[in-house]
Amino acid sequence: MEDNILKIKQIIEEQLARVERMKANNTPTDFAALDKIIIGAAAGDGIGPVIMKSARAVLEKLLADEIASGKIEIRDIEGLTIENRVEKMQAVPDDVLEQIKQCHVLLKGPTTTPGKGDGLPNIESANVTLRRELDLFANVRPVTVPEKNIDWIFYRENTEGEYALGSRGIDISDEISMDFKVTTDAGTKRLARAAFEYAKNNGNLNVSIITKANIMKKTDGKFLSLCYEMAKEYPEIKTDDWYVDICAANLINDQINSNFNVFILPNLYGDIITDEAAQIQGGVGTAGSANIGNRYAMFEAIHGSAPRMVKDGIAEYANPASLLKACEMMLRHIGYTNKAEKLCALVDEASAALDMPGDGTGNTAAEFTDFILQKL
Ligand code: IPM
Ligand code: MG
């Protein structure tokens, strides 16, 4: 008992300190003012190296002039593999994190997350660690289905909620376990601000706040009221809110789903709902994901490392569209909008022309990549 009270006390102290750090760290990087932009590239594991090879080839061709002139550097980040992470017993080994912090943005392949019963030691997810260590507070995930007139963008809170202390739960006894969920004013407001700014800058899109505030009264309750507070600063924007369960249903209701534009969600609901949304778009292999902070940003596929594809010997059939979409978001973030649009069009063209079911049939990642390279 005493032991657990001490653990909880420590957790509270850490969260109070995190809030102070959040308040201090809020000057965004001005990419236009940089002499050189350094893009770190960490392949990760599982199908990571396959899709990263594709992304690198495409980026190197697309950015050939900038790379030649030294305006952009693409730098390999070694060691973000499950083997190295297990060997060092660190979610992101210190030296790897140091290399990443020398870059301005990170392009990241999927990294295996140890789970209960898989025989791997209990180290935290590399995603969760990187999002926390680089303070990447907004997880931005667009989903479009042109034939259904669906154009959604999800702003998922990325550093708190159920994830902040996900590896720090407590077994109170043999029979009782507890996890913790954390919502802060600073963490919620900066996410809500980013979402409303996006909605405003794109023609006052509708904003929907997604919670389960009828059950999670403190944390989601705070999230909901802070988002509505922020909405008052954007009177031209139509804002509503939905509980996450009915949101999941609405996304597959073709009568209403095209009315939604921008979603704001706490971390775990955002995780689940964005996989659902990606599936509506054509599968998790088609969706990119941006993790945006003030100083740093990280771009990745929405999906995991697909160890099953590797085990079945079909990793070569992984769809690189997800990571290429992440490249597109990265190019926009660092100010290369035209190149982003060019890439977007080519990924869509390749997706329409080739067959990437991910089950070892159809086209390979290399064929997908060549299709794009030929048109660049
Ligand atoms: C995602 C992933 C991660 C998450 C995993 C790999 C830890 O599912 O980026 O959505 O849960 O956030
Ligand atoms: Mg997920």
Side-chain angles (χ1 to χ4, degrees), residues 155 190-200 207 237 262-264:
Y155 276 77
R190 61 186 185 173
L191 174 77
R193 172 73 69 203
F196 277 103
E197 280 296 303
Y198 179 89
K200 178 176 145 198
V207 172
I237 292 177
V262 180
F263 295 85
I264 313 180

Side-chain angles (χ1 to χ4, degrees), residues 87-100:
E87 190 192 312
K88 306 266 169 64
M89 277 306 283
Q90 283 188 300
V92 178
D94 290 338
D95 61 316
V96 179
L97 186 60
E98 214 24 67
Q99 289 177 62
I100 291 171

Side-chain angles (χ1 to χ4, degrees), residues 18-19 22-23 157 160-161 182-197 207-211 213 216-234 239-241 264-266:
R18 184 173 67 84
V19 168
M22 258 192 281
K23 289 183 190 160
E157 201 293 318
E160 41 189 57
V182 191
T183 298
T184 68
D185 279 36
T188 307
K189 281 184 190 162
R190 61 186 185 173
L191 174 77
R193 172 73 69 203
F196 277 103
E197 280 296 303
V207 172
S208 300
I209 309 159
I210 309 302
T211 67
M216 295 273 96
K217 292 188 195 294
K218 289 291 173 209
T219 48
D220 284 4
K222 179 189 276 301
F223 191 92
L224 182 60
S225 53
L226 287 173
C227 288
Y228 268 128
E229 221 21 67
M230 186 67 69
K232 288 189 192 149
E233 294 184 31
Y234 299 83
T239 303
D240 61 8
D241 77 281
I264 313 180
L265 316 93

Side-chain angles (χ1 to χ4, degrees), residues 7-305:
K7 278 188 201 158
I8 293 172
K9 184 163 175 278
Q10 192 192 353
I11 282 172
I12 293 172
E13 280 164 4
E14 284 173 20
Q15 292 305 306
L16 289 167
R18 184 173 67 84
V19 168
E20 292 313 312
R21 285 200 305 277
M22 258 192 281
K23 289 183 190 160
N25 159 31
N26 49 22
T27 323
T29 298
D30 177 5
F31 287 95
L34 295 175
D35 292 332
K36 177 186 214 155
I37 301 173
I38 305 172
I39 301 171
D45 33 52
I47 58 169
V50 174
I51 59 176
M52 183 59 85
K53 191 171 167 209
S54 168
R56 280 208 70 144
V58 171
L59 281 180
E60 275 163 21
K61 189 145 183 199
L62 196 59
L63 296 169
D65 292 345
E66 290 74 11
I67 293 172
S69 73
K71 173 81 191 130
I72 290 185
E73 177 190 336
I74 303 181
R75 187 180 287 179
D76 274 315
I77 307 287
E78 307 288 348
L80 197 64
T81 58
I82 188 69
E83 293 79 15
N84 190 39
R85 292 161 58 217
V86 165
E87 190 192 312
K88 306 266 169 64
M89 277 306 283
Q90 283 188 300
V92 178
D94 290 338
D95 61 316
V96 179
L97 186 60
E98 214 24 67
Q99 289 177 62
I100 291 171
K101 285 187 170 172
Q102 304 301 315
C103 304
H104 297 102
V105 295
L106 177 68
L107 183 66
K108 181 188 146 295
T111 44
T112 300
T113 302
K116 218 170 174 62
D118 60 11
L120 292 169
N122 177 23
I123 49 176
E124 195 181 38
S125 141
N127 285 47
V128 174
T129 308
L130 285 170
R131 290 166 183 166
R132 185 183 57 237
E133 292 298 321
L134 305 177
D135 204 22
L136 308 173
F137 60 84
N139 188 190
V140 184
R141 297 181 156 177
V143 162
T144 56
V145 188
E147 60 278 17
K148 290 192 173 173
N149 206 16
I150 286 175
D151 202 347
W152 297 329
I153 188 155
F154 296 86
Y155 276 77
R156 165 190 176 192
E157 201 293 318
N158 213 21
T159 54
E160 41 189 57
E162 304 77 359
Y163 281 63
L165 297 165
S167 298
R168 305 280 300 283
I170 297 177
D171 288 322
I172 302 288
S173 71
D174 286 348
E175 297 184 325
I176 307 177
S177 299
M178 276 171 74
D179 277 316
F180 304 98
K181 171 163 174 166
V182 191
T183 298
T184 68
D185 279 36
T188 307
K189 281 184 190 162
R190 61 186 185 173
L191 174 77
R193 172 73 69 203
F196 277 103
E197 280 296 303
Y198 179 89
K200 178 176 145 198
N201 294 332
N202 288 276
N204 288 326
L205 299 168
N206 297 335
V207 172
S208 300
I209 309 159
I210 309 302
T211 67
K212 193 72 187 175
N214 50 342
I215 302 298
M216 295 273 96
K217 292 188 195 294
K218 289 291 173 209
T219 48
D220 284 4
K222 179 189 276 301
F223 191 92
L224 182 60
S225 53
L226 287 173
C227 288
Y228 268 128
E229 221 21 67
M230 186 67 69
K232 288 189 192 149
E233 294 184 31
Y234 299 83
E236 318 76 23
I237 292 177
K238 183 174 156 281
T239 303
D240 61 8
D241 77 281
W242 302 83
Y243 294 136
V244 62
D245 46 356
I246 192 65
C247 171
N250 286 345
L251 292 192
I252 52 170
N253 179 345
D254 289 344
Q255 247 76 63
I256 57 171
N257 55 14
S258 62
N259 299 334
F260 293 104
N261 303 141
V262 180
F263 295 85
I264 313 180
L265 316 93
N267 210 336
L268 183 62
Y269 313 144
D271 177 48
I272 298 166
I273 291 289
T274 55
D275 263 20
E276 184 195 2
Q279 189 60 39
I280 295 168
Q281 174 179 261
V284 291
T286 65
S289 168
N291 300 265
I292 310 289
N294 284 318
R295 166 76 176 79
Y296 297 104
M298 173 171 90
F299 301 84
E300 59 183 347
I302 189 175
H303 56 73
S305 58

